[in-house]
Amino acid sequence: VPQCLIAEATAGTTFEHAPLDQRRVNGAECRYSAEGVTLTLDVDDRNGIDDGRKAYTEAGSQPVADLGDEALWNPRLRLVWVRRPDYAVTVQLVNPKLPDDTIRGRAIDLARAVLGKL
């Protein structure tokens, strides 16, 4: 499965099980997990954009240039949130073995790849 290979390369681990796919009121979530490493991809429709912005914007959040119409990196939560006109994408990567700068770069790269497919 290409998505699994992208997720594994981004997270820096191998996922033995298929991702948990979950539909939500305003979108969908796909979560990969293995040996303390978690990679979560969320896609929210137009109705979920403001909720995502509120949830992830806090002191310490940093804007991300050249990604969507609006994007931010939240170092505490280790996620990147990206808004487009009709949807928002969130990529969260938790891997205690990787330095924060590596996690940030990989999360942004994956967000860019996901945006290219939507």
Side-chain angles (χ1 to χ4, degrees):
V1 176
Q3 292 87 349
C4 187
L5 295 176
I6 292 169
E8 289 176 352
T10 300
T13 192
T14 301
F15 297 109
E16 296 178 15
H17 303 286
L20 170 68
D21 291 320
Q22 188 173 18
R23 299 299 275 162
R24 297 190 328 248
V25 173
N26 293 323
E29 176 180 291
C30 179
R31 181 175 297 167
Y32 297 86
S33 186
E35 299 178 10
V37 177
T38 303
L39 174 66
T40 305
L41 304 172
D42 290 330
V43 178
D44 292 315
D45 63 21
R46 180 186 313 248
N47 297 319
I49 290 174
D50 290 334
D51 291 340
R53 182 185 295 111
K54 288 176 194 171
Y56 305 132
T57 302
E58 59 182 40
S61 294
Q62 307 155 358
V64 177
D66 303 321
L67 190 61
D69 297 336
E70 176 185 4
L72 62 86
W73 166 251
N74 184 310
R76 185 180 67 79
L77 297 175
R78 295 188 169 119
L79 65 78
V80 62
W81 175 85
V82 184
R83 179 184 61 80
R84 286 279 178 95
D86 294 329
Y87 60 89
V89 172
T90 305
V91 176
Q92 182 179 39
L93 174 58
V94 178
N95 183 341
K97 297 176 185 174
L98 295 177
D100 289 343
D101 287 345
T102 300
I103 289 174
R104 181 182 191 275
R106 289 183 179 186
I108 290 170
D109 288 346
L110 183 56
R112 189 169 277 116
V114 169
L115 291 170
K117 302 277 185 193
L118 295 177

